[in-house]
Amino acid sequence: MSPNVRVKTLKIDGKDVSAREDQTILSVARENDIFIPTLCQMDGLTSVGACRLCLVEIKGSAKLQAACVTEVQEGMEVVTDSERLHSYRKMLIELLFVARNHICSVCVSNGHCELQSLAQRLGITHIHFPFRYPKLAVDLSHDRFGMDNNRCIRCGRCVRVCDEIEGAHTWDLMGRGDASQIVCDLNQPWGSSETCTSCGKCVHVCPTGALFEKGKSSSEMSKRQEFLPYLTLMRGDHNE
Amino acid sequence: MTTDELQQISTIEQETQGQYQHHVCVCVAAGCLSSQADVVQESLAKEIERQGMGDKCHIKGVGCMGLCSRGPLVSVDPEGVLYQNVKPSDSAEIIESLGKEKVSRLECSTEIPFFQHQKKIVLENSGLIDPNRIEEYIAVGGYGSLVTCLTEMTPSEVIDEIIKSGLRGRGGAGYPTGLKWSMVAKSRPGHNGKYIVCNADEGDPGAFMDRSVLESDPHRIIEGMTIAAYAVGATNGYIYVRAEYPLAIKRLRNAIRQASRLGLLGNEICGTPHRFNIELRLGAGAFVCGEETALLASIEGKRGTPRPRPPFPAESGLWEAPTLINNVETFANIATVIRNGSSWFSAIGTEKSKGTKVFALAGRVENTGLIEVPMGITLREIIFEIGGGIPGGARFKAVQTGGPSGGCIPENFLDAPVDYESLNRLGSIMGSGGMIVMDETSNMVDVAKFFMDFSRSESCGKCTPCRVGTAVMYDLLARITDGEGREQDLSMLEELCDLVKNTSLCGLGQTAPNPVLSTLRYFREEYNHQLVSSE
């Protein structure tokens, strides 16, 4: 930690808290056991503010800000949960459900899925938007892993872990809008990739059952993410 | 290059032009070119030779004359006659008429409101000078403002002048230009200095303002950018222009080469220590790359997706260096503001919106084409006087401004002044200048669906609300136009509009609901009419 980093004080949900000036609202909130839902954010990876679940209200600003990428400011007053934020978050989760085919009961990640548990936590009992359900390909060409586009929420965690931690940058995104999807190298079968080191990090940072280990049946794919804080701590290149 | 040298080039050019008794100008901007203006120019040139007029008559291609619907356009000076819908077979007659009676069957009156009600700043040279020759730009006073800035003004004086002019960004959002410049000027340069970026990634359906300016008067952009570079302390610039504009790219390349050769770009510009270089970057056809952070990512060679702001590009832009991004039309105003002074500029327009705005007038209107009008003019004047009204006696229904980010304005607001604030209040935006007129044959739900189709396919797919929200909104609109929509679909649409507007990461998503919101606001009965009846 740099010695000349200043310390700030701010209010989150009415509670006075302290923070280093380079901390984000999200990290300060977590230190203080204040829950803000996230999906695309992951400690140890660059934050991109894409899933929009961590939007918070900041007093004096008309626009909602993503807590994962907004740095604290002296005297800031943050509201992390309001009726409006709650309704937006529920709708965002619903949109993730309607965009692809998330039938939990047949999913390898049932019971271990971040999307599923967030939906439960936010009290989502049914989806009121029309489902889209595009039919997308499943890539089972890799010896040990599989990739099911139908369960992908395009959080980009696999892309970032592969690029930033493993250094291979095998995964990336292609296409635009709701047709965008994760691709291996230049959109080729995973099994034929020459850049993939088969390290499996992408599989374990994936919040849903989109990336999974072969041989796992329904509800059997639990993810192990302990490596990420360990690696970042050992490398010492992230503050958090 | 000094003022004297500039003056010398100008004098020589004026003398050369003065040797000719007649000047024939053919519009060779993209609109007229598509109706064979190049063939017309060729046949006119041949005709001049054939009639032995070679040393009396000068022919040249010029930029956009504005009235695109009547192209190809040819103007003849000193007679001051404008000919419309000219065909190659008309050449002989036109050349024979020089100095005699004009060819009245081809004449397009320049007394009509289309020409009379316009006020030209950005387009002042458009249609008058040959965009391929820097000498012509210099002969009409071009690069004079640059020399003035470099030799007589300090950078902060230049910024002051822009602030005082009240000029606001012409890309659509209307951020005060001078304020943006001062932010970049105050930011600490990165190891690679600071950058100037010209946003020429014009992508709204039906909009062609930037293309016309680039094709008609490319040096104006170079001059504006170089002045900006001096004011903020930048040494490198990029023009990000879409690859779909091959003619604009060709003319820009040529203009950059000419300016460099005369020492108006490069090292030691005008003998001062100021150096500035411009490179072109071609966009690969993504609408979202018009959003500033996506544009910067694209210049850096990455996938063109936006990132959260702050940090704003003024502080951390290209390769994390302070970067000034302005739209083509904004840069096109700079030289004139410096030449005529900020008080001259700020006298034009309304209290909060100064100067003029270029619009691409399209759709169901008699005179389609490129126009420049003072801020504060009413929509009615633009559509019914300049535009000449609706063809075929049909009834006006709505005007759409701002493309997929804007809204549809109905007849009872036609007397609203055109400025940033008043268009916002009506649920639309100024936008970059697309203006599409619709008559009674247009179905407003279809219009909303068209723009939503555009937004959903142009969304970059990074953030959830824009990626999925626009797709679901499109599905709902399609259900309604297919006659299967129900009452609850409208409330769902409103719910999604609110969500996408307030939670999207960038301007594309934040404004994508506008076409739906504005049509729901003004034409709700059309939606209701298409719903399945509740019984």
Side-chain angles (χ1 to χ4, degrees):
Chain A
M1 198 187 305
S2 163
N4 49 16
V5 170
R6 292 196 185 151
V7 175
K8 310 267 177 190
T9 54
L10 62 150
K11 263 193 169 71
I12 302 184
D13 293 341
K15 183 180 173 187
D16 286 306
V17 295
S18 67
R20 293 194 317 272
E21 65 175 351
D22 57 354
Q23 270 186 296
T24 61
I25 295 173
L26 179 68
S27 79
V28 182
R30 283 186 179 160
E31 276 176 13
N32 290 279
D33 296 323
I34 296 166
F35 171 74
I36 300 176
T38 55
L39 273 177
C40 69
Q41 190 274 345
M42 192 163 212
D43 282 348
L45 302 180
T46 310
S47 292
V48 291
C51 73
R52 314 306 284 168
L53 286 167
C54 71
L55 286 179
V56 293
E57 293 167 2
I58 295 171
K59 202 176 168 190
S61 158
K63 274 193 177 165
L64 304 175
Q65 299 289 346
C68 68
V69 290
T70 308
E71 290 186 352
V72 296
Q73 274 170 22
E74 183 63 43
M76 203 179 219
E77 287 181 44
V78 181
V79 175
T80 68
D81 203 5
S82 66
E83 208 171 303
R84 178 177 181 224
L85 288 174
H86 190 69
S87 119
Y88 283 163
R89 285 171 186 160
K90 279 172 82 167
M91 283 199 272
L92 288 170
I93 296 276
E94 280 192 52
L95 287 181
L96 289 173
F97 274 106
V98 303
R100 296 286 164 93
N101 179 347
H102 295 281
I103 307 290
C104 298
S105 57
V106 295
C107 177
V108 288
S109 282
N110 186 19
H112 313 288
C113 170
E114 292 182 39
L115 179 64
Q116 186 186 38
S117 52
L118 255 188
Q120 284 166 348
R121 180 157 189 172
L122 295 177
I124 295 170
T125 51
H126 64 284
I127 307 292
H128 76 299
F129 296 129
F131 285 92
R132 295 181 52 77
Y133 279 177
K135 281 204 176 93
L136 300 169
V138 179
D139 184 348
L140 294 172
S141 60
H142 193 280
D143 287 345
R144 291 163 46 210
F145 310 124
M147 150 68 162
D148 186 351
N149 270 310
N150 297 292
R151 298 173 188 151
C152 175
I153 59 166
R154 286 153 287 179
C155 63
R157 276 162 37 169
C158 54
V159 177
R160 280 173 283 150
V161 83
C162 186
D163 175 42
E164 296 170 11
I165 305 295
E166 179 62 8
H169 204 136
T170 300
W171 294 113
D172 212 323
L173 283 146
M174 74 163 201
R176 287 202 287 255
D178 202 30
S180 62
Q181 61 179 56
I182 303 292
V183 283
C184 189
D185 290 337
L186 294 171
N187 193 20
Q188 64 196 66
W190 196 354
S192 69
S193 168
E194 288 178 6
T195 62
C196 177
T197 61
S198 301
C199 71
K201 291 188 181 72
C202 53
V203 172
H204 288 280
V205 299
C206 175
T208 68
L211 291 166
F212 55 91
E213 285 170 353
K214 280 187 173 173
K216 293 276 162 62
S217 179
S218 165
S219 312
E220 290 180 357
M221 184 66 229
S222 62
K223 310 254 167 143
R224 300 182 303 277
Q225 302 178 341
E226 303 76 23
F227 73 93
L228 195 53
Y230 173 75
L231 276 180
T232 42
L233 181 71
M234 288 300 124
R235 291 179 182 180
D237 48 9
H238 283 263
N239 288 327
E240 291 149 18
Chain B
M1 180 71 54
T2 61
T3 315
D4 289 344
E5 285 169 326
L6 211 56
Q7 191 58 49
Q8 202 179 354
I9 295 176
S10 166
T11 313
I12 293 173
E13 177 63 25
Q14 282 165 1
E15 276 170 9
T16 321
Q17 288 186 16
Q19 288 167 5
Y20 295 100
Q21 292 168 13
H22 306 284
H23 295 272
V24 177
C25 300
V26 185
C27 172
V28 287
C32 285
L33 269 187
S34 68
S35 43
Q36 293 195 309
D38 49 342
V39 184
V40 171
Q41 187 182 359
E42 220 169 279
S43 86
L44 281 167
K46 266 189 208 151
E47 200 55 43
I48 291 171
E49 281 308 307
R50 196 183 66 80
Q51 298 188 18
M53 300 270 283
D55 47 356
K56 278 190 274 178
C57 180
H58 179 235
I59 180 165
K60 67 181 178 185
V62 296
C64 186
M65 296 182 181
L67 196 47
C68 304
S69 56
R70 312 263 183 96
L73 296 167
V74 174
S75 75
V76 177
D77 280 310
E79 291 87 345
V81 180
L82 181 66
Y83 293 121
Q84 62 187 4
N85 300 322
V86 178
K87 290 177 197 64
S89 55
D90 299 324
S91 305
E93 215 177 327
I94 291 174
I95 301 302
E96 274 161 22
S97 78
L98 292 178
K100 301 179 198 118
E101 192 64 22
K102 61 192 173 196
V103 188
S104 36
R105 71 178 172 89
L106 293 172
E107 194 193 359
C108 171
S109 169
T110 50
E111 301 295 315
I112 59 175
F114 182 86
F115 295 103
Q116 296 296 320
H117 288 212
Q118 293 196 48
K119 166 99 190 149
K120 301 209 171 184
I121 295 177
V122 170
L123 301 176
E124 61 181 353
N125 301 327
S126 184
L128 298 176
I129 64 167
D130 181 349
N132 287 315
R133 294 186 62 238
I134 192 170
E135 294 83 1
E136 294 213 8
Y137 181 65
I138 293 174
V140 292
Y143 287 109
S145 300
L146 174 63
V147 176
T148 311
C149 286
L150 289 180
T151 57
E152 294 168 28
M153 295 167 85
T154 64
S156 56
E157 280 170 352
V158 177
I159 294 177
D160 262 0
E161 199 63 13
I162 302 298
I163 290 177
K164 276 191 260 166
S165 74
L167 176 64
R168 294 169 66 175
R170 298 292 194 245
Y175 193 80
T177 306
L179 184 61
K180 206 187 233 182
W181 285 29
S182 72
M183 282 160 66
V184 180
K186 284 175 182 164
S187 293
R188 199 158 30 151
H191 63 89
N192 40 1
K194 295 181 186 177
Y195 292 95
I196 304 286
V197 173
C198 174
N199 184 347
D201 191 54
E202 180 177 56
D204 295 3
F208 51 90
M209 304 73 55
D210 296 349
R211 189 197 71 204
S212 293
V213 174
L214 294 172
E215 285 174 358
S216 307
D217 203 2
H219 285 286
R220 170 175 286 274
I221 306 303
I222 295 173
E223 186 176 7
M225 287 177 74
T226 313
I227 292 173
Y230 173 70
V232 305
T235 48
N236 285 294
Y238 290 96
I239 301 177
Y240 188 89
V241 53
R242 57 201 306 237
E244 292 92 330
Y245 285 174
L247 186 62
I249 293 163
K250 192 175 136 203
R251 290 186 182 162
L252 271 174
R253 285 221 167 97
N254 177 53
I256 291 172
R257 203 162 41 234
Q258 291 173 343
S260 306
R261 200 174 293 153
L262 288 183
L264 294 161
L265 276 178
N267 293 330
E268 298 186 5
I269 298 173
C270 306
T272 69
H274 180 53
R275 66 188 165 90
F276 184 59
N277 290 295
I278 296 178
E279 270 184 61
L280 289 191
R281 279 287 188 276
L282 306 193
F287 176 69
V288 72
C289 285
E291 197 280 339
E292 58 180 13
T293 58
L295 187 152
L296 295 179
S298 178
I299 291 182
E300 289 176 1
K302 299 177 189 150
R303 191 176 145 86
T305 56
R307 61 158 177 81
R309 298 174 303 181
F312 288 91
E315 204 184 329
S316 174
L318 273 182
W319 297 287
E320 292 171 6
T323 303
L324 174 75
I325 306 184
N326 278 144
N327 170 267
V328 169
E329 199 184 326
T330 314
F331 280 125
N333 273 296
I334 302 300
T336 316
V337 171
I338 299 291
R339 182 176 359 111
N340 295 352
S342 56
S343 46
W344 171 84
F345 187 84
S346 62
I348 305 164
T350 65
E351 192 197 339
K352 287 186 175 165
S353 306
K354 303 295 186 191
T356 59
K357 181 77 194 84
V358 180
F359 285 103
L361 195 55
R364 299 290 290 158
V365 61
E366 195 67 52
N367 303 326
T368 54
L370 191 72
I371 58 165
E372 182 171 1
V373 290
M375 294 276 191
I377 191 173
T378 63
L379 286 164
R380 190 183 299 279
E381 259 180 289
I382 294 183
I383 297 161
F384 288 93
E385 293 183 23
I386 296 176
I390 316 297
R395 198 179 152 78
F396 170 86
K397 186 166 193 181
V399 56
Q400 213 278 349
T401 67
S405 316
C408 298
I409 301 170
E411 194 174 5
N412 44 336
F413 293 106
L414 273 184
D415 292 309
V418 172
D419 63 36
Y420 293 98
E421 280 74 24
S422 101
L423 290 178
N424 269 346
R425 271 197 301 277
L426 293 175
S428 186
I429 59 164
M430 174 76 81
S432 54
M435 191 176 273
I436 302 169
V437 181
M438 288 168 273
D439 69 9
E440 56 199 349
T441 59
S442 291
N443 174 338
M444 299 316 280
V445 188
D446 266 345
V447 171
K449 188 176 85 168
F450 169 82
F451 283 113
M452 195 49 69
D453 188 24
F454 184 86
S455 293
R456 69 154 186 168
S457 60
E458 290 299 334
S459 160
C460 77
K462 182 172 179 175
C463 76
T464 316
C466 178
R467 181 184 67 228
V468 194
T470 55
V472 175
M473 279 196 274
Y474 173 79
D475 292 348
L476 290 170
L477 288 165
R479 194 147 90 181
I480 296 170
T481 54
D482 288 347
E484 288 162 17
R486 293 180 182 279
E487 185 72 41
Q488 62 264 35
D489 290 347
L490 292 191
S491 51
M492 217 187 290
L493 263 180
E494 284 172 327
E495 230 178 358
L496 282 167
C497 283
D498 176 53
L499 175 79
V500 175
K501 192 180 172 118
N502 289 302
T503 62
S504 290
L505 172 58
C506 82
L508 193 157
Q510 288 160 10
T511 57
N514 282 347
V516 180
L517 282 171
S518 65
T519 47
L520 273 173
R521 178 171 160 189
Y522 299 123
F523 300 97
R524 198 173 180 107
E525 73 285 4
E526 275 191 46
Y527 280 86
N528 288 333
H529 189 67
Q530 290 177 63
L531 294 179
V532 177
S533 60
S534 44
E535 296 132 60

